[in-house]
Amino acid sequence: MTTEQQFSDDSPRGRLLAGIAELVDAFEAEKERAQQQAAEERAALLRDVAAQHGPERTAGELTLAEAGRIRRAYKLAEEATPRLIIAAHEREGMNATDIATVLDCSSSYVSRILRERKAVAEK
């Protein structure tokens, strides 16, 4: 049997390989859908927490469930912060002080993130 015959769709081996390729493609598509859904759920959580827990709320008013949602949202926001800082600086032209004001963090933190980004870009 030639190599061409082994991998043609008409041979058992070819049909097997084609079936495996279809399974891999289906798995990748399902994995991508799951990742997209997870990203949408995280974004919804952040919007929900931001809408429900403004600065007028006090810690004494929080329930355990609310605290859990806020902690999860906080972790997501912390993970996204460097990306958001870089985007604000590069795409919107914001300086470190303005970004720090919006994020309610120190301008030295924002500056550090921007310096690290610049160092990586120069490599």
Side-chain angles (χ1 to χ4, degrees), residues 90-111:
E90 292 178 355
R91 294 187 191 124
E92 299 172 32
M94 293 178 72
N95 64 37
T97 303
D98 292 340
I99 295 168
T101 300
V102 171
L103 292 175
D104 194 27
C105 66
S106 70
S107 57
S108 64
Y109 171 72
V110 174
S111 295

Side-chain angles (χ1 to χ4, degrees), residues 17 21 32-33 42-43 45 50 61 67 73 86 96 98 101 104 113:
L17 292 174
E32 188 174 315
R33 281 191 301 273
R42 288 191 304 266
L45 172 65
E61 298 172 324
I86 292 164
D98 292 340
T101 300
D104 194 27
I113 297 297

Side-chain angles (χ1 to χ4, degrees), residues 7-8 17 25 48 52 55 71 77 83 89 97 108 120:
F7 293 100
S8 75
L17 292 174
D25 290 344
D48 178 54
Q52 291 181 16
R71 289 179 54 79
R83 176 185 54 81
H89 179 70
T97 303
S108 64
V120 168

Side-chain angles (χ1 to χ4, degrees), residues 58-69:
T58 65
E61 298 172 324
L62 291 179
T63 66
L64 183 61
E66 288 173 326
R69 283 197 311 274

Side-chain angles (χ1 to χ4, degrees), residues 17-33:
L17 292 174
I20 291 171
E22 288 176 20
L23 287 172
V24 169
D25 290 344
F27 171 78
E28 290 296 326
E30 185 176 333
K31 181 178 158 186
E32 188 174 315
R33 281 191 301 273

